[in-house]
Amino acid sequence: MKRWHRWCCGAAVAALGTAWAQSDSPQQASLWVEPRIGLSVTATDNARLQAGQQQSEQTLEVTPGVRVVANQARVKGFFDYNLSGLYRMQDTGGDKLQHRLNTSAQINAIDNWAFVDASATVSQQLISAFGPVAGSSTTNANQAQTATYRVSPSVRGQFPYGVKYEARYNVQGTKTKSNARGDSDTQGWAGRLSRQVGSAGWSLSADQQEVDYDSGRTTESGTVTGRFSYAWSPQWITGLTIGRETNDLLTPDNTKKSYSNYGVDLIWRPSARTTLSAGVNDRYFGRGHNLSFEHRAARTVVRVSDVRDVLTSPNANVNATLGTLYDLLDALYVTLEPDPVKRAQLVQADLQSWGLPGDLLVSQSFLVSQATLQRRQQLSVLMTARRGTFTVSYARGHSSRLLNNLTLGDDFDSTSQIKTNTLSFLYAHRLTPVTSANASYALQRSEGDLDTQRNSQYTLTLGITTQLGRRTSGSVQVRRLHSNSGLNPYSESALVGNILHRF
């Protein structure tokens, strides 16, 4: 299985190179490549994030990187990579290299018939939901570098009588440097037939998936689903689904069981700027739902989502993104700049002038070694003015294991459920044409079954950013962190200086 995974990854890289080389002429293609290098110096009074035995540290971090955004006939997507080298003067955790990657691309391999979707991420993930939460400048034993990838070739077209078809194969995997958490490999296929006749439409889909955890068990699942939809108007679309699914997720001896599933869904688009979609279904784990809402105004973006579903491979988060704040600004500028490459340059310029982190995430996940039932609720609001921008983000999660009496080395060995809450505020104000000030506050909470599995942490930052040259910026930031952990309450104060040059 893993050899097949490596073959798929190599084929995707070869297809990407060939497609890029065969893309249309520069007049028809759009490509942006921007190398960069950053230098960061951090002074902290508690490098190991421990109570009682605080140790100060001074860290030097050099980070070269590159960003590529493509909107070509053959390739559409982005590639963003950093390599950080850390030198700790007091040797609290040793020197090391850290990789950070976010990339996603769709390759038009054969004339709008065969495609390859590829994505990958490399990031620092929390090992436990109840441990310390901090950035790369500290020696955090609760973080592990985690790599995920996904390669999905597909074909799509149309049969006679207007019947559309799509067939897809999917392979993805997760590799973490933490020995206490499970790597996983996933492979599966999916097929779909559909037809639209006036306002009515139907579809028939089937899929099969196998997930193999290195420290857990192998699970299999498959579904067959039919859907009927009707567009009452261009703004209102309703749907009804009914099907059958088979899996071994609820049986410790891997015995497969079959279940019925059915549900209804609704899509409402009152305008090009507003979309609401909602669905509810009865599944083998109980009632699931999916709600999403987005509204874009001239200077405001609002996004809301609420999902209850089973994640069969929770660590394989291969929905690569350049960050929550980046995505909100990108959505805000869709009408202003339709071209994705020019819009990416516009977003990056605004983030740079405000001194804001585009890779800000609403919530940070933790590593597990099994399929979990999760409910995830998120709210993100971005508001901009002539000289400032304000962002508020909230995320709430509830995770539980599907099977009891399994010892797999993750947090669920000692708790049946994990609740998380994250609330953050971020404001930036442009003081002069080249200088901005920013402030942020983040509150993170996690809770399990035991009294010792309660962690509450707040982080307050104040910073100022200025342009040192046409393509060079510098910033100074003060950070205060305080955690009320059940086993390890701690606090930290830090001063951070950054210089970034974009070539």
Side-chain angles (χ1 to χ4, degrees):
M1 182 174 177
K2 294 182 179 179
R3 182 181 300 174
W4 177 247
H5 285 196
R6 290 193 292 268
W7 183 90
C8 287
C9 292
V13 172
L16 177 61
T18 303
W20 214 304
Q22 295 177 351
S23 60
D24 288 351
S25 63
Q27 289 78 10
Q28 297 173 315
S30 185
L31 179 67
W32 175 42
V33 181
E34 184 183 74
R36 62 182 180 268
I37 186 167
L39 175 65
S40 177
V41 179
T42 302
T44 175
D45 66 350
N46 191 0
R48 291 194 172 97
L49 302 180
Q50 293 180 348
Q53 298 180 344
Q54 297 186 8
Q55 183 173 349
S56 61
E57 180 64 278
Q58 300 80 44
T59 303
L60 175 66
E61 184 174 358
V62 180
T63 307
V66 63
R67 174 169 296 179
V68 181
V69 181
N71 183 34
Q72 300 181 319
R74 291 286 188 180
V75 180
K76 301 181 188 298
F78 62 87
F79 175 91
D80 190 86
Y81 174 71
N82 286 336
L83 174 62
S84 297
L86 282 80
Y87 171 67
R88 295 185 171 93
M89 299 180 185
Q90 307 300 326
D91 197 27
T92 56
D95 308 329
K96 64 178 180 179
L97 295 176
Q98 289 185 354
H99 302 270
R100 185 178 180 88
L101 171 68
N102 280 286
T103 182
S104 178
Q106 182 182 75
I107 306 165
N108 186 350
I110 304 178
D111 299 332
N112 293 319
W113 178 73
F115 300 84
V116 178
D117 295 319
S119 58
T121 66
V122 179
S123 62
Q124 298 294 316
Q125 293 286 327
L126 296 180
I127 299 174
S128 171
F130 311 117
V133 181
S136 60
S137 60
T138 57
T139 308
N140 190 358
N142 192 43
Q143 287 188 157
Q145 183 169 282
T146 303
T148 66
Y149 72 90
R150 175 178 178 264
V151 180
S152 182
S154 64
V155 295
R156 66 186 72 162
Q158 183 169 307
F159 291 127
Y161 304 104
V163 177
K164 297 180 180 180
Y165 67 88
E166 179 178 357
R168 177 180 297 274
Y169 179 77
N170 179 66
V171 56
Q172 65 186 58
T174 304
K175 180 67 176 178
T176 176
K177 288 189 175 181
S178 169
N179 296 326
R181 297 294 184 267
D183 302 335
S184 66
D185 296 293
T186 303
Q187 66 175 355
W189 59 265
R192 186 173 185 269
L193 298 173
S194 64
R195 187 187 183 197
Q196 189 74 27
V197 182
S199 298
W202 63 265
S203 66
L204 180 64
S205 59
D207 64 77
Q208 188 274 336
Q209 178 180 263
E210 177 184 310
V211 183
D212 180 14
Y213 279 96
D214 283 3
S215 62
R217 60 183 193 134
T218 300
T219 61
E220 296 183 8
S221 61
T223 63
V224 177
T225 305
R227 180 176 185 270
F228 173 78
S229 64
Y230 189 82
W232 303 93
S233 69
Q235 293 78 32
W236 291 92
I237 302 174
T238 57
L240 172 66
T241 60
I242 186 170
R244 196 79 177 169
E245 52 190 331
T246 303
N247 60 62
D248 54 9
L249 295 171
L250 301 182
T251 55
D253 58 353
N254 287 85
T255 301
K256 289 185 179 181
K257 290 189 175 182
S258 185
Y259 311 86
S260 298
N261 67 73
Y262 54 90
V264 294
D265 58 84
L266 166 72
I267 299 176
W268 178 48
R269 296 191 184 99
S271 69
R273 293 176 174 267
T274 305
T275 302
L276 170 68
S277 64
V280 61
N281 49 52
D282 277 346
R283 303 278 305 281
Y284 64 93
F285 56 85
R287 179 158 295 178
H289 63 258
N290 191 332
L291 170 69
S292 66
F293 172 79
E294 178 178 295
H295 175 71
R296 292 181 288 112
R299 293 182 176 273
T300 304
V301 176
V302 179
R303 285 181 172 174
V304 180
S305 65
D306 187 348
V307 180
R308 186 177 190 267
D309 200 357
V310 166
L311 294 184
T312 54
S313 49
N315 298 339
N317 181 21
V318 287
N319 295 321
T321 175
L322 295 176
T324 302
L325 186 55
Y326 184 99
D327 290 346
L328 289 172
L329 281 171
D330 184 76
L332 183 66
Y333 295 152
V334 164
T335 304
L336 178 64
E337 180 51 73
D339 182 80
V341 174
K342 295 180 180 178
R343 190 167 65 248
Q345 295 171 331
L346 179 62
V347 170
Q348 184 61 34
D350 276 355
L351 289 172
Q352 195 68 38
S353 66
W354 285 325
L356 297 179
D359 59 353
L360 174 75
L361 296 177
V362 174
S363 61
Q364 193 169 5
S365 59
F366 53 93
L367 299 175
V368 298
S369 302
Q370 56 190 298
T372 58
L373 174 61
Q374 295 193 5
R375 183 176 183 184
R376 306 175 302 279
Q377 299 168 294
Q378 292 188 350
L379 166 68
S380 300
V381 180
L382 170 70
M383 294 178 286
T384 63
R386 187 173 63 90
R387 299 183 62 180
T389 181
F390 175 74
T391 302
V392 57
S393 301
Y394 175 72
R396 181 181 181 184
H398 183 277
S399 303
S400 59
R401 57 189 179 187
L402 295 176
L403 286 174
N404 297 320
N405 304 321
L406 289 180
T407 303
L408 301 175
D410 58 15
D411 284 340
F412 290 107
D413 286 354
S414 56
T415 184
S416 62
Q417 61 180 348
I418 298 174
K419 300 177 182 179
T420 58
N421 288 273
T422 303
L423 176 65
S424 65
F425 301 92
L426 178 63
Y427 177 72
H429 184 78
R430 189 173 286 115
L431 303 174
T432 72
V434 297
T435 303
S436 298
N438 58 76
S440 68
Y441 176 82
L443 177 63
Q444 297 172 296
R445 292 177 177 173
S446 58
E447 180 181 346
D449 293 338
L450 306 178
D451 292 338
T452 55
Q453 295 173 333
R454 285 176 171 81
N455 187 17
S456 177
Q457 174 177 305
Y458 76 80
T459 305
L460 176 65
T461 61
L462 301 173
I464 189 168
T465 300
T466 188
Q467 293 296 120
L468 303 176
R470 190 174 67 89
R471 301 186 65 83
T472 305
S473 64
S475 66
V476 177
Q477 185 182 81
V478 178
R479 180 178 70 214
R480 175 62 179 174
L481 183 153
H482 182 75
S483 173
N484 294 318
S485 173
L487 295 176
N488 179 38
Y490 60 89
S491 61
E492 184 226 15
S493 298
L495 178 65
V496 184
N498 297 286
I499 295 178
L500 175 67
H501 179 75
R502 297 176 290 119
F503 297 95

